[in-house]
Every structure is written in C-alpha cells, then in structure tokens.
Amino acid sequence: MPPEDTADHAAILARAQARAKEESASFRGLLTPAETWALFKQGEIALVDTRTLAERDLVGYVPGSIAIEWYDYPAKRRNERFLTQLREKVEADRPVAFLCRSGVRSNDAAKLAATEVRDNGKLLAEMLGQLNYIPQWFYYYGGLADKIQGTTLPLDKKGYFAFTRNEPLGVVAAITPWNSPLMLASWKIAPALAAGCTIVVKPSEFTSASTLEFAALFDEAGFPPGVFNVVTGFGNEVGTPLVEHPLVRKISFTGSDTTGRIINEKAARHFKHTAMELGGKSPNVVFADADLDQAVFGAVSGIFAATGQTCIAGSRLLVQDSIYDSFVEKLVGVARTARMGDPMDPATQVGPVTTPPQFAKVLEYIDVARQEGATLLLGGQRGNAPECGGGWFVQPTIFGDVRNDMRIAQEEVFGPVLSIIRFKDEEDALRIANDVRFGLAAAVWTSDIGRALRMSEKLQAGTVWVNTYRAISYLAPFGGYKDSGLGRENGIDAIREYLQVKSVWINSGAVAGNPFVMR
Ligand code: ADP
C-alpha cells in the first residue's frame, strides 16, 4: 500500500521532512522508500534528490542493530527473506483479475500499472502483461543468489592452495528510460540484489512515479534501508553525480546511444563497470517463402506495439522484391485498423507518445522521410481522431520505397514510423540489414530452415528472431552489437555482470627462498 493510504502517512511525512533537512555529518539514517514517496507526494523532490544523493554511501543498515552490509546476508536469506517477499507482493493478486473487475484497484501490481498508464501513457493492457511477468526476474535471479560460487584452482605451483571468490561489485547505479520503467529497472535490480550489490535507481525525469511507488513495495517487503534506493531528477543534475559518485562501481544504463556514450566516457575515467543497453534500427526481413500472414502480424507488432517506443522496434522492414507489392498492401490494410485512444481502455492498440519532445521528434522524422523522397503509405500526421483528444498521438505511419542510406532508415525514430525497403535475395538482404551502426535485434521470416540458420548466423544483432518478433525472457541474454551497447542483461550469466572475481592464495608449505624473485 503506498504510504499516503496508511494511517501514519502524516507521521512518515513529518519524519521524512525532519530527516531530509538533517545536516549533521554523523547522520547515518536513510530516507526509506516510504519517506521518499511521502516527500515526492509533497513536491519536495528536489530536497529528496539532495539528501538521497548525499547518502548513497550507505550499503545496508538495520535500525536498532549493528550495521550489516547487504552482501553479508546469507545468499539464501537474500532470496527467501527479501526477494521472494517482493515478488509475492507484486504477484499476490494477479493483475488479470483487476482487468476483469475493471475499476477495482485491489493489489499492488494493478496500482503500479495504473500509475504507469497515467504518468507515461503506456497501454494498460501492456502494463498488466509486464507486471504479470516482472516477478519472474525476482524469482529467477533470487534463485541464483545461493548458486554464486568460486572454484578451487588446479595450480601449477607446489606448496600453495588457491581458490576464487565471486564478490559483489558494491553500489550499482541503474539509469532507466521512460519507455518501460519498471520492466527495464527489474532487469537490473533483480540480478544486482541477488548478487549482493545495493542499487540506486534513477528513473527518467519524465516517468519517475512508478519506480517511486515500486520502492514503497521494497519497504513493505522488509528490505533494510539503503539496499534499494531511488533518486529522481534530470540526467545532468542527478544522473551525472550518480555516475561520478566514488562509491558507485557500476552503471547499468538503458537509453539513447547519445547519453550512453556520455555516461560510458565518464565511467571510463574512473574504471567503473558499465552495461549499456542502447538504441536500435532493427531489420525485420521478410522472404517470399515466409508465412506472409504471420509476417504481416510480426511487422505490425514489431513497429506499432508500445507506439514504436521500444529499443527493439522493427523499424526497417526489408521485403523481398517478388512479394513487395502484395505484402505491403496487406500490411497497410492491417495497420490501418489500429485503434488509437485512451491507454486505460483495454481495447486501445496504439497509445500516445510519452513526452512532448519525443512527439515533436517523431513528427520531424516524418517530415525528413517525406523530404528524402520516401513514399507515404499510411498515417503521417498527429492523431486527429476524436478519441485522441488533444493528446500527443502520432498516426501509425508507413513509408515505402525507402533507401537504406536515407536518414529515416539509419536513425532511431522511437515512434510508430515504419520504413519499408526492397531487397533481391539473401545476400542483398544481409548487406542492407547489417548496413547500419546499430545491432540490437533482427528478425527473419522464412520457411527455409537453412536460410533461417544462415541469416541468424550472419545478422549483426544481439537477438535474432526467426518467424517471430519481440519475444523476450528473463532466460534469454539481451544486449547489443555495435552501437547498440555493451554487456548483456537477462539469462544465467547476467548475474556475473554484478560480480568481481578475487583469487585467494594460501601458502600450504612453500618456503620463501630468495625474497627478490617473484614466486
Ligand atoms: P531517452 O530516455 O529519451 O532514451 P536518455 O537516454 O537521455 O533519453 O535518457 C535515459 C536516462 O538517462 C534518463 O533517466 C535520463 O535522465 C538519464 N540521463 C540523461 N542524461 C544523462 C547524463 N548526462 N548522465 C546520467 N544520466 C543521464
């Protein structure tokens, strides 16, 4: 339950205000998520930013007891006592039930979903799906917590015994974008906490509400203060100090490649670890031998789901010459039926663009495509249907006859704008697909297994789908080739990205001879 619904909200707020103003150097208490939330609701977020930033040096603190660092908790307990509690809070009453009893907000997941829809404009239907799935990250990585182990080393030297320890990196900063705040934060929070790191999440300044509300659940699940933290604010005012904070050892970032480059450069100066999940311009390649009805659906969901505001958007549709005209006709026919409107309405299929700058940018790219000579086949304007009101809607937009060297084919639009490019054969498709600086995802539609395998090997992308699009899982490594980023999230190895290896040497009988010679 968010703090404002509790009887002692006033007390929490008073305590938060007092603690936030506390300037004593010996002040070691943290603002708990509930206190942060209380301040946020009071519009004192700037104050919270200052305080929480100053207090990031704490890593786990148990009030009224000795301070215990988070990584000193037995791994099994981190999972069973904390991560499991959190997961159960989110999945307690499946959000689908909320949909059936429409209007009754009876559980945490449904509240989080509703907050995101109001703050972000994401579709309720998509948010409910995400919240149904998010607990799996906490289940999966929580389960890995007690499987982190070192090895004994089969040494080449006599008289020594050596082993490795996998130790948490320490304080991790997660900087997240506005398109899927809770999902993308969970990809970072779950492995970091399971590994024994503490985490400070900085959500986008446009969509901070859901992450703050999520923070309240950590509080309710009993996490010690300081283990999970949220700071909000602008990138340069709050993100930069977080990136440069001496105690932050890793920055796990999801966002634009421009910002990723800045953060990565700053982090490099201090040899900090980074994970960069950046943009994309993903090719969705349809061969003539594909199941074309399925491919049309794949193309539509690839670009118009989430209003095109996903890093994995299939924004370049490559269609083989021999089926180009009929395929494009079918595609435009399906895309034309997209229902735009109120994101709270479960029937809505394409919602608004999340932010005014993004809205302006998408419309600008539509102009660029026109000027470059692409043929407008659908949309091309702001959403002007009555159900769009005065909102930041952009019509699902399709351009044909796009050349791969046009800006509309090379630059990430991050909106519901599809570019269709013709190709002749497999070789031509590969050349065009890979001729871009990004490499996040790609898809191939074909009924030829040999072609599917050849293409999946040669496409330069961190994820390749065959006869599907937009499939993701906590089990499947996710990340970019080329300018789409560094490191991998999800999958069994992602937990290693929050660990560092230590070699421990024990002398079990070797006697030092000449002290001036290396052993
Ligand atoms: P978008 O979300 O539109 O892709 P960004 O990549 O700029 O845009 O933003 C992603 C996240 O990075 C946001 O939380 C934003 O506040 C943060 N951010 C932006 N600039 C910086 C910066 N210089 N240092 C740290 N974080 C930043």
Side-chain angles (χ1 to χ4, degrees):
M1 206 174 2
E4 77 270 24
D5 293 348
T6 64
D8 59 356
H9 173 61
I12 292 175
L13 177 61
R15 197 169 70 234
Q17 284 167 329
R19 297 179 82 187
K21 286 183 179 131
E22 169 76 68
E23 288 304 332
S24 154
S26 65
F27 174 66
R28 300 288 286 166
L30 287 167
L31 289 174
T32 66
E35 289 165 350
T36 307
W37 177 249
L39 284 178
F40 171 73
K41 299 296 278 185
Q42 292 296 308
E44 294 196 23
I45 201 64
L47 189 57
V48 173
D49 289 342
T50 319
R51 291 305 307 168
T52 44
L53 272 172
E55 291 161 11
R56 279 321 92 218
D57 54 340
L58 281 189
V59 277
Y61 176 72
V62 183
S65 144
I66 52 163
I68 302 178
E69 296 200 347
W70 174 241
Y71 73 84
D72 284 337
Y73 280 87
K76 190 165 183 293
R77 189 164 155 77
R78 281 204 298 269
N79 178 29
E80 289 176 358
R81 167 68 187 82
F82 300 107
L83 292 167
T84 301
Q85 296 282 318
L86 178 81
R87 172 169 63 84
E88 286 174 354
K89 281 203 74 58
V90 181
E91 69 186 0
D93 181 7
R94 290 278 166 160
V96 176
F98 164 70
L99 196 57
C100 304
R101 291 183 264 117
S102 68
V104 183
R105 294 176 195 161
S106 63
N107 63 73
D108 293 318
K111 276 185 182 170
L112 285 166
T115 297
E116 195 71 270
V117 176
R118 283 199 306 272
D119 192 32
N120 185 316
K122 273 186 99 60
L123 299 186
L124 180 66
E126 193 192 354
M127 276 317 296
L128 292 172
Q130 284 197 2
L131 281 157
N132 229 357
Y133 203 22
I134 281 173
Q136 293 305 318
W137 269 262
F138 293 92
Y139 175 72
Y140 180 73
Y141 286 105
L144 285 180
D146 64 0
K147 287 148 199 86
I148 297 166
Q149 53 192 24
T151 52
T152 53
L153 303 175
L155 275 186
D156 57 331
K157 295 180 194 295
K158 282 205 172 8
Y160 293 96
F161 174 73
F163 63 94
T164 58
R165 290 168 52 81
N166 276 294
E167 298 182 348
L169 285 174
V171 184
V172 170
I175 299 182
T176 55
W178 45 259
N179 60 335
S180 275
L182 292 178
M183 178 80 136
L184 298 175
S186 297
W187 291 13
K188 305 173 192 308
I189 298 165
L193 296 186
C197 296
T198 55
I199 194 161
V200 186
V201 183
K202 195 209 86 62
S204 165
E205 57 273 25
F206 291 108
T207 56
S208 303
S210 59
T211 308
L212 285 164
E213 201 165 282
F214 198 38
L217 297 190
F218 283 78
D219 215 20
E220 289 169 31
F223 277 80
V227 173
F228 176 81
N229 311 274
V230 180
V231 292
T232 59
F234 290 101
N236 53 353
E237 289 168 10
V238 177
T240 300
L242 196 54
V243 170
E244 291 179 338
H245 196 292
L247 285 169
V248 169
R249 291 311 313 155
K250 173 177 172 121
I251 299 102
S252 182
F253 171 78
T254 302
S256 64
D257 60 303
T258 312
T259 304
R261 202 178 299 274
I262 295 169
I263 293 176
N264 205 33
E265 283 172 6
K266 287 201 168 99
R269 292 184 64 78
H270 304 280
F271 308 109
K272 296 187 183 200
H273 297 243
T274 57
M276 295 278 143
E277 204 269 87
L278 310 174
K281 195 74 194 176
S282 300
N284 199 355
V285 186
V286 183
F287 285 94
D289 63 10
D291 176 335
L292 298 181
D293 291 332
Q294 284 296 299
V296 164
F297 280 13
V300 167
S301 79
I303 187 65
F304 299 125
T307 317
Q309 301 175 115
T310 71
C311 49
I312 51 175
S315 50
R316 285 187 304 151
L317 181 68
L318 276 55
V319 182
Q320 194 156 21
D321 244 348
S322 54
I323 53 159
Y324 186 93
D325 292 337
S326 58
F327 188 82
V328 168
E329 192 184 325
K330 256 189 196 175
L331 172 71
V332 171
V334 174
R336 198 186 288 288
T337 64
R339 273 191 301 271
M340 303 179 76
D342 180 359
M344 281 301 250
D345 180 347
T348 299
Q349 293 167 319
V350 177
V353 171
T354 300
T355 75
Q358 186 59 25
F359 176 64
K361 181 178 152 190
V362 175
L363 291 176
E364 206 178 297
Y365 267 113
I366 289 174
D367 279 347
V368 167
R370 279 200 180 104
Q371 285 158 22
E372 286 181 311
T375 309
L376 181 67
L377 302 173
L378 184 71
Q381 294 177 38
R382 72 178 294 170
N384 46 19
E387 43 295 1
C388 296
W392 307 316
F393 286 85
V394 176
Q395 294 173 340
T397 296
I398 300 180
F399 283 103
D401 303 316
V402 174
R403 285 194 329 270
N404 200 49
D405 62 354
M406 291 178 178
R407 281 183 63 199
I408 197 68
Q410 292 290 319
E411 298 175 19
E412 188 177 38
V413 176
F414 221 68
V417 181
L418 179 66
S419 298
I420 312 182
I421 303 170
R422 285 174 193 267
F423 71 87
K424 283 200 293 291
D425 52 21
E426 209 174 299
E427 195 184 329
D428 197 31
L430 263 175
R431 181 185 57 75
I432 298 169
N434 288 336
D435 181 15
V436 70
R437 69 190 177 89
F438 295 109
L440 193 59
V444 188
W445 298 83
T446 178
S447 55
D448 177 340
I449 182 70
R451 169 175 283 159
L453 287 169
R454 286 191 299 275
M455 291 291 289
S456 60
E457 184 184 328
K458 296 204 173 111
L459 282 164
Q460 295 164 354
T463 296
V464 176
W465 293 291
V466 176
N467 295 334
T468 187
Y469 206 92
R470 272 191 115 225
I472 49 128
S473 166
Y474 53 92
L475 288 162
F478 183 87
Y481 278 31
K482 304 195 280 189
D483 283 7
S484 288
L486 285 176
R488 291 292 178 270
E489 302 196 277
N490 304 336
I492 202 159
D493 292 322
I495 199 161
R496 293 191 186 286
E497 305 225 359
Y498 295 89
L499 297 165
Q500 54 195 337
V501 181
K502 178 184 279 174
S503 291
V504 181
W505 289 71
I506 297 172
N507 184 335
S508 60
V511 178
N514 181 349
F516 298 100
V517 177
M518 198 176 94
R519 302 217 59 85

